[in-house]
Amino acid sequence: MKIDLNRNTNISLSKQIYQSIADRISSGLLEKGSRLPSVRSLSKALNVSMVTVSKAYSKLADDHIISTIQGKGTYVQTEKAMNHNDHNTDSTSLNWQLSIPDHLPRAQFWWQNISLTTKSQIWLSAASVHSSLLPEHLISRHISSFILKNPGILSEYGPVQGDLEFRSAIADYLISSGNSIFKNEIIITNGSQQAINLVARTFIGAGDIVVMEAPTYTAAIDVFRWQGATILSVPVDKDGMRIDLLLRLCDTYTPKLIYTIPTYHNPTGTVMSMQRRKELIEIAKDFNCFIVEDDPWREISFEKNPLPALKSMDTDGHVIYIKGFSKFLSPGCRIGTLAASGTILNRLIAAKSNSDLGSPLLTQKALLPFVQLDFMKKHLKSMNHILYNRRNLILKLLKKHMPEAVEWSSPMGGPNIWLTLPSWLSAESLVFEAQNNNIAFLTGSTCYSSEPEFNHIRLSFSSLDQEQLENGIITLSKIVFSFIDKKNAENSPII
Amino acid sequence: MKIDLNRNTNISLSKQIYQSIADRISSGLLEKGSRLPSVRSLSKALNVSMVTVSKAYSKLADDHIISTIQGKGTYVQTEKAMNHNDHNTDSTSLNWQLSIPDHLPRAQFWWQNISLTTKSQIWLSAASVHSSLLPEHLISRHISSFILKNPGILSEYGPVQGDLEFRSAIADYLISSGNSIFKNEIIITNGSQQAINLVARTFIGAGDIVVMEAPTYTAAIDVFRWQGATILSVPVDKDGMRIDLLLRLCDTYTPKLIYTIPTYHNPTGTVMSMQRRKELIEIAKDFNCFIVEDDPWREISFEKNPLPALKSMDTDGHVIYIKGFSKFLSPGCRIGTLAASGTILNRLIAAKSNSDLGSPLLTQKALLPFVQLDFMKKHLKSMNHILYNRRNLILKLLKKHMPEAVEWSSPMGGPNIWLTLPSWLSAESLVFEAQNNNIAFLTGSTCYSSEPEFNHIRLSFSSLDQEQLENGIITLSKIVFSFIDKKNAENSPII
């Protein structure tokens, strides 16, 4: 087990060890029953005192994550079992693999998706748009005729940076929303997930400081942790990232990169105010750091003009802009884009080459006609009309059925509602009951890189029809009610 | 500039610094004229003595890679200029980016492809099969009708691990050549390049020891360097990797991973003997390490039965098997596969999820009918018939036109001929003249992770037609002749 420790933060080493082991276990990367290294050997491997490791192990034991059997060793205790793969893992000839350390500290998003998709039918967890609202028939007809005329694209490696025609169309599309982006400043990626990876892998190494919002997108935490980053969190309020707290943090630590979802933030749905956008750019200038602006939700908007992207306000190459096309066009094509200015661009293209030599031309050509502004305007108008009604429906349902003690956001864009339960009620405790009722939601705690809040739920309304939404929210409300009633009964005096 | 130093090898620190800086420059990642850190600041950053850095800088200066201007600093001196991207990089407001360190030490394959594809028309450098020999028309007709019937695949994220039906077909195909691989032991990747990345990123970190053949596949060196691996090289002879030397090396250093292309090795075309295959598996068992078997050329075979894959001889989960489908089906689909047994599989799937959430279903479904054994047999028979003739033609042309002092391999599979020039003649010195004659070839030195041999050329015959091959080899032979004649003239006594 390889744990990257950062000795230059005020996060204690024992806490870093705790977090790293807890992450691996909650990602399913350390399986139930697997043995942890002894305190002595881990302290030696990490070059820290035995007291430090002991402290981390004690807290893990207190939290019922591991347990120590006297004289036998320390073992993972989580109830989560690896049940999604039926290959033989218990063959003893393969046991040597267990001792091979890896450099994959966390894969929470992966684990979450496995756990959520196995059992449920009402996916309040899926922040994707229902296929009936996506232009799959138009795209398929286009592909069908395009590929007959252009079979040659199957036999060539496309440009590493992406198809020039497609980059050009994307640049035009991004320019139309006020960005100044040239086609040669764009890299086509396998979804925005790969774009985040390219940036992280090029610029972030062990101990580099990355600032993320708390909460934020789970899979982005996975990536930055993978690179060994020290992640510092800045909370989000109704106007987005708390820039005042970010600034205070920058006084002590110089971040190399700030990852943000300023527009219809995932998971809370908030929008960073114009004032804070300006301040954030100033901070990036003052501290010579990058801002990674992840902007997948701008198109799913219920207001006339979403605030301009940070990228459009950036004159000095601080903002690396990431847009996925999965949410509003085609998740199946796995197309994302990364836009950056300056000399860093070549380093990112080289990283793309090292990663996979370039994305397939087929999926790029498939989306080409659909990133044109005219099509997009018409498509988004009709899609958003329906999604707006769904959003209003879920808000109405929540108001009607949820207990009073529960609060939620009313987002002006994006597919997510952020629910806040009473502080004593953990979302995790509802999961079992919800799954028994075929409902999946995202527990908010997975959206924090550290010190999670446990009383949040992310509900996505974009992939469900009216009936599923109604069934889902009514049932979920009943479950929440039952927990609150139980607590009230416990607290009420016995007459 | 972030340089990973390994203090546990017998490669001196100054040599490691030299190699790291030379790699960045030859990959175009440090541009001509950019300033290197001072000896004092680099020695401080790397925690090594100033003498060590000085030594590295001196050797770089001796090799005309950098130069020091008294009182001004040390600068990159290479003649290679970044000319492939026309974005503005000289805007002073972007200059702050130059001081941002990255973690991308090398991207030789990328650089090579940029340099080779800009000028030439006869690509003796392209180890890919000419489109007329690939089934692009069949695949395009299949896609065209499939997507009309199944537009839904455009609106769904496929399984992270890959489409089940496709994995099943690939398993059947691999089983037919003697491997015992289950469909749930397969991960679909974006070409074999991403497969190599997944393995490296999951298991290799700074200082881990990776053994590679010398020479080997350039882009694989790029990947392992990226992870900070310490790469040790084992030479290849006519029977493949020198296992005797590997064993001697293992006595001192324990490798974590051995990367090999045992069948029609890239770039030399040799085949690892059965005896050595067995010994290699034994070594992996003895030292608890992984073998990454990269097997992209098996299908391009001019003999009846290529030797079985290492994977088919592995009982204990040591071999991670990688096969790309670019070389004989469709480079444009960017489909590769990785097969592994045991508990490491889940870690690799998690890594795939972290990387890009999964490959597009469209390109997987596109190739589905074509990985069936019946189709493949027929297709490979006709393709290999033509490639065999091309291979015989290039051998004939070389024999007829090349000077006697030049030697070359006669591969029984794969698209590459490995040319050995007289030891005093560097392939690099021929590049300029060749490019002026519109010929591109691969300089052998890029295939070495360290201590390159400069007198090799890799010639690929698979992407060229008869006329191009004839023109290419005749012209290249003339160029080689002219250099040899010049040398002879210099050496001959003046009468």
Side-chain angles (χ1 to χ4, degrees), chain B residues 13-34:
Chain B
L13 292 176
S14 74
K15 198 162 168 196
Q16 291 183 48
I17 296 169
Y18 169 93
Q19 192 63 50
S20 180
I21 294 176
D23 272 348
R24 274 167 216 247
I25 294 171
S26 64
S27 303
L29 294 170
L30 269 174
E31 297 184 41
K32 184 184 174 181
S34 43

Side-chain angles (χ1 to χ4, degrees), chain B residues 354-390:
Chain B
N354 276 6
S355 295
D356 62 8
L357 313 184
S359 289
L361 282 174
L362 178 58
T363 46
Q364 297 178 62
K365 293 294 192 188
L367 293 194
L368 180 60
F370 305 98
V371 298
Q372 315 283 345
L373 192 62
D374 283 351
F375 169 82
M376 198 69 97
K377 267 187 179 163
K378 239 173 60 189
H379 162 57
L380 294 179
K381 195 175 166 191
S382 71
M383 181 183 80
N384 285 335
H385 177 71
I386 295 165
L387 289 178
Y388 184 54
N389 288 339
R390 296 271 156 84

Side-chain angles (χ1 to χ4, degrees), chain A residues 312-376:
Chain A
S312 71
M313 305 158 65
D314 168 43
T315 50
D316 300 349
H318 289 278
V319 178
I320 301 174
Y321 184 79
I322 291 176
K323 176 171 289 299
F325 290 88
S326 297
K327 300 306 180 185
F328 51 94
L329 279 184
S330 166
C333 282
R334 312 296 312 111
I335 293 285
T337 188
L338 179 159
S341 311
T343 51
I344 58 161
L345 187 69
N346 266 325
R347 302 190 235 177
L348 292 166
I349 300 170
K352 171 68 178 166
S353 177
N354 276 6
S355 295
D356 62 9
L357 312 184
S359 290
L361 281 175
L362 178 57
T363 47
Q364 297 179 61
K365 293 295 192 188
L367 293 194
L368 180 59
F370 305 98
V371 299
Q372 315 283 345
L373 193 60
D374 283 351
F375 170 81
M376 198 68 98

